[in-house]
Amino acid sequence: MNNLNLEDDNFLVESIKNNSNAEKCLEVLINRHSGLCINMINGYMSKNHNDSLRQELIKEKDFQIYNSALKYNPQKGSKFSTYLGNEIKWKCLNLYNRDKRRKTVPVEEELINYFSYQNSQNSIDNELFDNIINQAENHSDKRIGKIFHLRYVEGNKNSVMPWKSISSIMKMSIQGCINLHNSALKQFRNKIRKEISDE
């Protein structure tokens, strides 16, 4: 991998998608675009918004950059930085405007909200949260249970454990931990939706 390739966001994104030097490419992408993410989060979440939620979004910027890389399609003509900026913008707006009283199956951002809001309001259905954690702890792949426990149970008060810390404890790459988490979460979500539809 040469320096010219490292300067090309599209090359980095494709390498991440194809799991080719993905860890190095993700590191370069994160270093390059972290400033953009932080500036946008501060801009959208600083005025009349929950500061703890703003801090959580900043902590999660690495995950947002990785997730945006997986979804980015250069064929649509926009630069990766533009796409990433739009993803951060809509995440901030959706997070702030979400009806916190609605009952829904927790996904990553809603599990994060659980910790941000649990001391001030009962916005997340505890039964659904417990369902997710229980499925993780009983998963046949013991790494899943450990990752979810570290992320949502052992994290600091009112905060999830950062992916970098989980990666160190699990002795896995950040990308590997996130992939296991997301794959399991999709299984759990589908199972709960089926249970709800069968009621």
Side-chain angles (χ1 to χ4, degrees), residues 170-187:
M170 295 296 296
K171 294 181 170 49
M172 294 172 57
S173 68
I174 293 175
Q175 182 182 0
C177 291
I178 292 173
N179 285 346
L180 277 176
H181 171 277
N182 288 354
S183 176
L185 193 59
K186 183 181 295 185
Q187 295 174 22

mmCIF file of all heavy atoms in Angstrom, residues 170-187:
data_model
loop_
_atom_site.group_PDB
_atom_site.id
_atom_site.type_symbol
_atom_site.label_atom_id
_atom_site.label_comp_id
_atom_site.label_asym_id
_atom_site.label_seq_id
_atom_site.Cartn_x
_atom_site.Cartn_y
_atom_site.Cartn_z
ATOM 1 N N MET A 170 -10.598 -7.635 24.468
ATOM 2 C CA MET A 170 -10.913 -8.829 23.676
ATOM 3 C C MET A 170 -9.710 -9.334 22.881
ATOM 4 O O MET A 170 -9.747 -10.422 22.322
ATOM 5 C CB MET A 170 -12.065 -8.519 22.720
ATOM 6 C CG MET A 170 -13.396 -8.205 23.393
ATOM 7 S SD MET A 170 -14.079 -9.598 24.315
ATOM 8 C CE MET A 170 -14.368 -10.794 23.002
ATOM 9 N N LYS A 171 -8.661 -8.476 22.791
ATOM 10 C CA LYS A 171 -7.498 -8.805 21.958
ATOM 11 C C LYS A 171 -7.930 -9.063 20.507
ATOM 12 O O LYS A 171 -7.480 -10.013 19.850
ATOM 13 C CB LYS A 171 -6.742 -10.011 22.526
ATOM 14 C CG LYS A 171 -6.092 -9.729 23.877
ATOM 15 C CD LYS A 171 -5.340 -10.933 24.405
ATOM 16 C CE LYS A 171 -4.499 -10.593 25.632
ATOM 17 N NZ LYS A 171 -5.213 -9.853 26.680
ATOM 18 N N MET A 172 -8.839 -8.196 20.046
ATOM 19 C CA MET A 172 -9.327 -8.219 18.673
ATOM 20 C C MET A 172 -9.225 -6.807 18.111
ATOM 21 O O MET A 172 -9.083 -5.843 18.862
ATOM 22 C CB MET A 172 -10.801 -8.673 18.620
ATOM 23 C CG MET A 172 -11.041 -10.100 19.043
ATOM 24 S SD MET A 172 -12.828 -10.458 19.153
ATOM 25 C CE MET A 172 -13.374 -10.034 17.494
ATOM 26 N N SER A 173 -9.327 -6.688 16.797
ATOM 27 C CA SER A 173 -9.347 -5.358 16.194
ATOM 28 C C SER A 173 -10.659 -4.654 16.523
ATOM 29 O O SER A 173 -11.678 -5.307 16.820
ATOM 30 C CB SER A 173 -9.195 -5.458 14.669
ATOM 31 O OG SER A 173 -10.344 -6.062 14.099
ATOM 32 N N ILE A 174 -10.661 -3.331 16.485
ATOM 33 C CA ILE A 174 -11.893 -2.573 16.685
ATOM 34 C C ILE A 174 -12.931 -2.999 15.655
ATOM 35 O O ILE A 174 -14.098 -3.223 15.975
ATOM 36 C CB ILE A 174 -11.618 -1.054 16.575
ATOM 37 C CG1 ILE A 174 -10.751 -0.589 17.742
ATOM 38 C CG2 ILE A 174 -12.920 -0.262 16.526
ATOM 39 C CD1 ILE A 174 -10.325 0.862 17.657
ATOM 40 N N GLN A 175 -12.496 -3.115 14.410
ATOM 41 C CA GLN A 175 -13.403 -3.506 13.331
ATOM 42 C C GLN A 175 -14.013 -4.873 13.597
ATOM 43 O O GLN A 175 -15.209 -5.090 13.392
ATOM 44 C CB GLN A 175 -12.660 -3.506 12.003
ATOM 45 C CG GLN A 175 -13.537 -3.855 10.803
ATOM 46 C CD GLN A 175 -12.744 -3.902 9.508
ATOM 47 O OE1 GLN A 175 -11.541 -3.665 9.519
ATOM 48 N NE2 GLN A 175 -13.405 -4.200 8.418
ATOM 49 N N GLY A 176 -13.194 -5.810 14.070
ATOM 50 C CA GLY A 176 -13.696 -7.159 14.359
ATOM 51 C C GLY A 176 -14.742 -7.156 15.446
ATOM 52 O O GLY A 176 -15.764 -7.843 15.348
ATOM 53 N N CYS A 177 -14.508 -6.359 16.504
ATOM 54 C CA CYS A 177 -15.476 -6.264 17.600
ATOM 55 C C CYS A 177 -16.793 -5.668 17.117
ATOM 56 O O CYS A 177 -17.881 -6.150 17.454
ATOM 57 C CB CYS A 177 -14.909 -5.410 18.731
ATOM 58 S SG CYS A 177 -13.526 -6.163 19.615
ATOM 59 N N ILE A 178 -16.708 -4.599 16.326
ATOM 60 C CA ILE A 178 -17.916 -3.939 15.814
ATOM 61 C C ILE A 178 -18.696 -4.873 14.895
ATOM 62 O O ILE A 178 -19.928 -4.952 14.955
ATOM 63 C CB ILE A 178 -17.549 -2.643 15.073
ATOM 64 C CG1 ILE A 178 -17.008 -1.606 16.053
ATOM 65 C CG2 ILE A 178 -18.764 -2.072 14.332
ATOM 66 C CD1 ILE A 178 -16.456 -0.349 15.398
ATOM 67 N N ASN A 179 -17.976 -5.609 14.046
ATOM 68 C CA ASN A 179 -18.657 -6.532 13.132
ATOM 69 C C ASN A 179 -19.409 -7.619 13.884
ATOM 70 O O ASN A 179 -20.554 -7.954 13.533
ATOM 71 C CB ASN A 179 -17.641 -7.168 12.178
ATOM 72 C CG ASN A 179 -17.172 -6.211 11.105
ATOM 73 O OD1 ASN A 179 -17.764 -5.166 10.895
ATOM 74 N ND2 ASN A 179 -16.096 -6.565 10.431
ATOM 75 N N LEU A 180 -18.778 -8.197 14.912
ATOM 76 C CA LEU A 180 -19.454 -9.211 15.727
ATOM 77 C C LEU A 180 -20.677 -8.615 16.411
ATOM 78 O O LEU A 180 -21.748 -9.220 16.433
ATOM 79 C CB LEU A 180 -18.489 -9.766 16.774
ATOM 80 C CG LEU A 180 -17.531 -10.872 16.348
ATOM 81 C CD1 LEU A 180 -16.595 -11.221 17.493
ATOM 82 C CD2 LEU A 180 -18.290 -12.111 15.896
ATOM 83 N N HIS A 181 -20.521 -7.418 16.972
ATOM 84 C CA HIS A 181 -21.620 -6.728 17.664
ATOM 85 C C HIS A 181 -22.792 -6.493 16.720
ATOM 86 O O HIS A 181 -23.943 -6.818 17.027
ATOM 87 C CB HIS A 181 -21.107 -5.398 18.220
ATOM 88 C CG HIS A 181 -22.164 -4.501 18.767
ATOM 89 N ND1 HIS A 181 -22.915 -3.669 17.949
ATOM 90 C CD2 HIS A 181 -22.612 -4.290 20.029
ATOM 91 C CE1 HIS A 181 -23.770 -2.998 18.697
ATOM 92 N NE2 HIS A 181 -23.604 -3.362 19.955
ATOM 93 N N ASN A 182 -22.514 -5.924 15.536
ATOM 94 C CA ASN A 182 -23.584 -5.564 14.613
ATOM 95 C C ASN A 182 -24.299 -6.790 14.060
ATOM 96 O O ASN A 182 -25.520 -6.787 13.877
ATOM 97 C CB ASN A 182 -23.031 -4.719 13.472
ATOM 98 C CG ASN A 182 -22.654 -3.326 13.905
ATOM 99 O OD1 ASN A 182 -22.901 -2.934 15.049
ATOM 100 N ND2 ASN A 182 -22.055 -2.556 13.023
ATOM 101 N N SER A 183 -23.529 -7.835 13.757
ATOM 102 C CA SER A 183 -24.129 -9.065 13.247
ATOM 103 C C SER A 183 -25.068 -9.687 14.281
ATOM 104 O O SER A 183 -26.183 -10.103 13.959
ATOM 105 C CB SER A 183 -23.022 -10.057 12.871
ATOM 106 O OG SER A 183 -23.576 -11.296 12.453
ATOM 107 N N ALA A 184 -24.611 -9.731 15.538
ATOM 108 C CA ALA A 184 -25.438 -10.295 16.607
ATOM 109 C C ALA A 184 -26.666 -9.428 16.859
ATOM 110 O O ALA A 184 -27.772 -9.938 17.046
ATOM 111 C CB ALA A 184 -24.623 -10.425 17.893
ATOM 112 N N LEU A 185 -26.475 -8.108 16.843
ATOM 113 C CA LEU A 185 -27.584 -7.199 17.109
ATOM 114 C C LEU A 185 -28.687 -7.352 16.072
ATOM 115 O O LEU A 185 -29.875 -7.299 16.381
ATOM 116 C CB LEU A 185 -27.082 -5.755 17.136
ATOM 117 C CG LEU A 185 -28.039 -4.704 17.703
ATOM 118 C CD1 LEU A 185 -28.428 -5.037 19.135
ATOM 119 C CD2 LEU A 185 -27.406 -3.324 17.634
ATOM 120 N N LYS A 186 -28.287 -7.582 14.817
ATOM 121 C CA LYS A 186 -29.276 -7.794 13.755
ATOM 122 C C LYS A 186 -30.076 -9.074 14.026
ATOM 123 O O LYS A 186 -31.298 -9.101 13.859
ATOM 124 C CB LYS A 186 -28.578 -7.894 12.398
ATOM 125 C CG LYS A 186 -29.539 -8.032 11.220
ATOM 126 C CD LYS A 186 -28.776 -8.146 9.899
ATOM 127 C CE LYS A 186 -28.006 -6.891 9.591
ATOM 128 N NZ LYS A 186 -27.360 -6.948 8.257
ATOM 129 N N GLN A 187 -29.402 -10.125 14.470
ATOM 130 C CA GLN A 187 -30.091 -11.373 14.815
ATOM 131 C C GLN A 187 -31.082 -11.152 15.955
ATOM 132 O O GLN A 187 -32.226 -11.608 15.897
ATOM 133 C CB GLN A 187 -29.078 -12.440 15.232
ATOM 134 C CG GLN A 187 -28.123 -12.893 14.155
ATOM 135 C CD GLN A 187 -27.071 -13.844 14.710
ATOM 136 O OE1 GLN A 187 -27.247 -14.485 15.742
ATOM 137 N NE2 GLN A 187 -25.938 -13.925 14.024
#
